[in-house]
Amino acid sequence: QRNAPLKDEDWSWANWAYKGIAVRLDKGEGGITQGKSWMIFDHDLLRVAGGWSGEEFIDYYEILMDGKHNISPRTAGDLHFSNPVLPGWANPKTGSFEDLRFQARDGRHFGPLPKSWGRLKGIYHFEHKVIVSYNVGDTEVLEMLAVDYHQDQPIYIRNLHLKGAAGKLITHLAPENKGVKVQGKGGEIFTQEGQNYLQISDQGEVKLRVHIASSPELFEGYEMKEAISLLPYTQGGKAHYPEVLTTEITSKSHGSFEVDVLTSPKDNPWKSRLRFGGIDFFEDKNKAVGVCTEGDVWIIEGLLSETGKLTWRRIGSGLFQPLGAKVIDEQIYITCRDQLVRLHDLNGDGETDYYESFNNDHQVTDHFHEFAMGLQSDAENNFYYAKSGRHAREALIPQHGTLIKVSKDGSSSEVIAYGFRAANGVCLNPDGSFIVTDQEGYWNPMNRVNWVDRNAFYGNLWCYNPPKDTTDAAMVPPLTWVDSEVDRSPSELLWVDSEKWGPLNGSLLNLSYGYGKVYIVPHEKVQGLMQGGIFELPIPAFKTGLIRGRFNPADGQLYVCGMSAWATNQVYEPGGFYRITYNGKPLHAPIDIQAFSSGVSLTFSDPLDQASAESLENFQVETWELKRTRRYGSDHYNEQSLAISSLSLSADQKTVFIGLPDIEPVWQMEIRWDLKGKEGEVVKGRIQNTIHHLREETLVGN
């Protein structure tokens, strides 16, 4: 049923291609949406899920990431054939099509086939052709989907090129009532239990051309073409996107910071909306890669030039909702919803010819919310990203709401922390731990910034295989809870690694997708737990939500990117790419916070006026508690104002100790101040923080 919202449970009957590669088959101008005939290759199951034609590519209802909780795309037009949600090839060891993959509690199977059975290797792009590379057992398979027409009806074609075929291999073609024919040596069609199959004999190298029609009668008078070798299409072809586009850099000063808008080419030949999900730099730091959630990959050059201009070149497209990027040894790795992809330029023309499936272990269901977020690597070049859960439903697969590690060679992956709801990105800490944000929701009373250790649980009881203990004691508490008034949707954190950022060098930053802002996260470790707070830097909100950031080692400045897709306040541009430069002016940001049994110390980046810093009326402190339940979010409970007994400023005039006789560990505290800097500057702000434990020692200097 089209144009109607359907819940997950209503779709148990559907023919899902959870990792479906949609291929336009007909030639012509424009991209996939401008075609008239398509097939889908399901790379989890190595099957052709179906073929359809029409004036409209898909049913777009609620899938455009326009702030709605969207559902999955559905085919439009006429579906000429489809295959069941089963392996596309029989098990090469047993000849059985029995699905041996992970089975969820709702009875559905998820994830790729066992590696000994078969696995996607990658996708070649040659002119208008798409060639899928995979293995079945020890046999290497190249498959090119195509279409021919007869009697004004499409005939769908599977061009197969097998190398090292050993034993008998069987692939599923179409239901028995459809027309199927094969051209080439080594393949024979047979029918069994209402389905048509192709059996391939032990030939070593086999080239076949399989034809699938909506009815057997359509083959009357049809002349089949010979099978062809697909190897020539795996060497790289003519560039699809040779155009180089130019944009301007615009700049504006905001107090202690300069903000450059690195304008993206909104008016581009492909009508691509540049909603950025990740950025990273090459060895030449004048050059960056940007990935967009619609599936595009762009190379941006001119970051360090003095011309005020940037050049943009599209080098790839068609990826499944990429939301993280990393460059290692000049190779681009991208986190997608279905896999971790490595890009290859095979012929040196600057464009991607081969999209290697570097690792596709993680499972994907039909739920819209399970984004794969961020991408970081450690010193050994192992990769890390986060995968979100099912929003308002219990997890179905082991990767829902987890932090995932992929080995440096892509051969294996593992879940290293769990219990997240909507983990928007990963920060890799110098000590080997991680930081992962999470969003307010069910079992999550408020947004949170998590300092993550391996094998720990972080609160969402709707994760896969949660602990039996439902109390707060079973979870690792966050570094800080983040009230939605401060940030409705925190995204990725990163460390300031730049002397150009003066007193903020070495600090921790948090980007906001919800409000398009940048925060500093001062923190401490007390009795084995991380705790701290969040303070908004004095930079006006960006026109998009911010999602990823990197410091450029060449100029020492912060580059951030973002988009407006699912819920955010910043919907003024679809996407944005920006540079933030610290100009050295006094900032007066709190860069350290410590909680003692007698009060709280705040260390600021710049000196304060002593008289204003020691006036009791210039500070206010409030606290409240939250309740973690299965309902969405939490109200504030036990709100109170804490009496301030004393204020004292350190000798360097940067650290204020706030005497609080009634201080206790608390879910959330808010400290507000209205002060003056040493030179009379207005210093006004607030920090929200969380306290798990109090230090007993006396603060030195106060």
Side-chain angles (χ1 to χ4, degrees), residues 427 492-496 507-511 549-551 558:
C427 174
E492 197 165 79
L493 287 94
L494 71 159
W495 293 92
V496 181
S507 296
L508 185 62
L509 300 181
N510 189 184
L511 305 178
R550 304 269 192 206
F551 273 88
L558 174 61

Side-chain angles (χ1 to χ4, degrees), residues 11 23 180 182 209 399 479 481 508 620 647 666 698:
W11 285 84
V23 180
V180 293
V182 63
R209 182 179 173 94
Q399 295 89 2
L479 182 156
W481 296 101
L508 185 62
Q620 292 83 41
L647 293 166
V666 69
T698 301

